[in-house]
Amino acid sequence: MKTFQLKFKTLFILFLVGFAFASCSKDDGTTPDPEPKNQAPSSFDLMEVADGADLQPQLSWEAAKDPDGDDVAYQVYLDSQNPPENPIASNLEISSFNVEDTLHPETTYYWKVIAKDVNGNSTESDITSFTTREM
């Protein structure tokens, strides 16, 4: 009788171990994490252009860092309406731009910059404004 109980216990344990191994598989129903998605450049700030600005001011901003190490180019918008819709420079690789057209005196201008990486991800700055000098 003891031999039968011992064989039964052994078979039962082997059955449980086999069941446990059969239940474990390479594919446990979870999907593998997809390849990490390319991220947009980090946020950045515009440098203030003081009121009474020259009629061809220099616009400057902090460089946007890309978390993936991608190259970043900038597009600058300047307009007398808010939000600015007039692009005045594209594909800039530096973080400043000298306005080439002479602006109107005593006019408030709004500007923003969009940083774009080589994968098409972009980050837009806040909009800021300045007023040009008197004539």
Side-chain angles (χ1 to χ4, degrees):
M1 182 74 161
K2 286 185 176 183
T3 306
F4 176 74
Q5 287 178 342
L6 183 61
K7 285 182 181 180
F8 179 76
K9 285 182 183 178
T10 304
L11 285 173
F12 183 72
I13 291 172
L14 287 173
F15 173 77
L16 288 177
V17 169
F19 181 76
F21 278 115
S23 297
C24 296
S25 70
K26 198 174 193 181
D27 180 17
D28 60 1
T30 60
T31 56
D33 291 335
E35 201 171 302
K37 184 178 178 184
N38 188 274
Q39 299 176 36
S42 63
S43 61
F44 58 99
D45 292 321
L46 303 179
M47 303 298 173
E48 182 180 348
V49 177
D51 286 337
D54 188 49
L55 301 181
Q56 290 180 307
Q58 182 181 53
L59 306 176
S60 300
W61 54 93
E62 294 175 344
K65 294 182 180 22
D66 188 88
D68 304 299
D70 299 330
D71 289 334
V72 177
Y74 303 98
Q75 185 165 21
V76 181
Y77 290 80
L78 177 69
D79 216 323
S80 57
Q81 65 181 4
N82 190 8
E85 296 178 0
N86 181 33
I88 60 168
S90 296
N91 297 319
L92 296 175
E93 295 178 1
I94 58 173
S95 56
S96 66
F97 179 73
N98 291 322
V99 176
E100 296 167 351
D101 294 334
T102 302
L103 302 179
H104 298 286
E106 300 179 53
T107 303
T108 299
Y109 285 92
Y110 301 89
W111 67 290
K112 70 178 180 181
V113 175
I114 297 176
K116 192 172 189 177
D117 70 16
V118 294
N119 291 296
N121 299 308
S122 63
T123 300
E124 192 169 312
S125 72
D126 290 334
I127 297 170
T128 191
S129 66
F130 63 91
T131 303
T132 51
R133 66 175 170 80
E134 296 177 8
M135 192 61 172

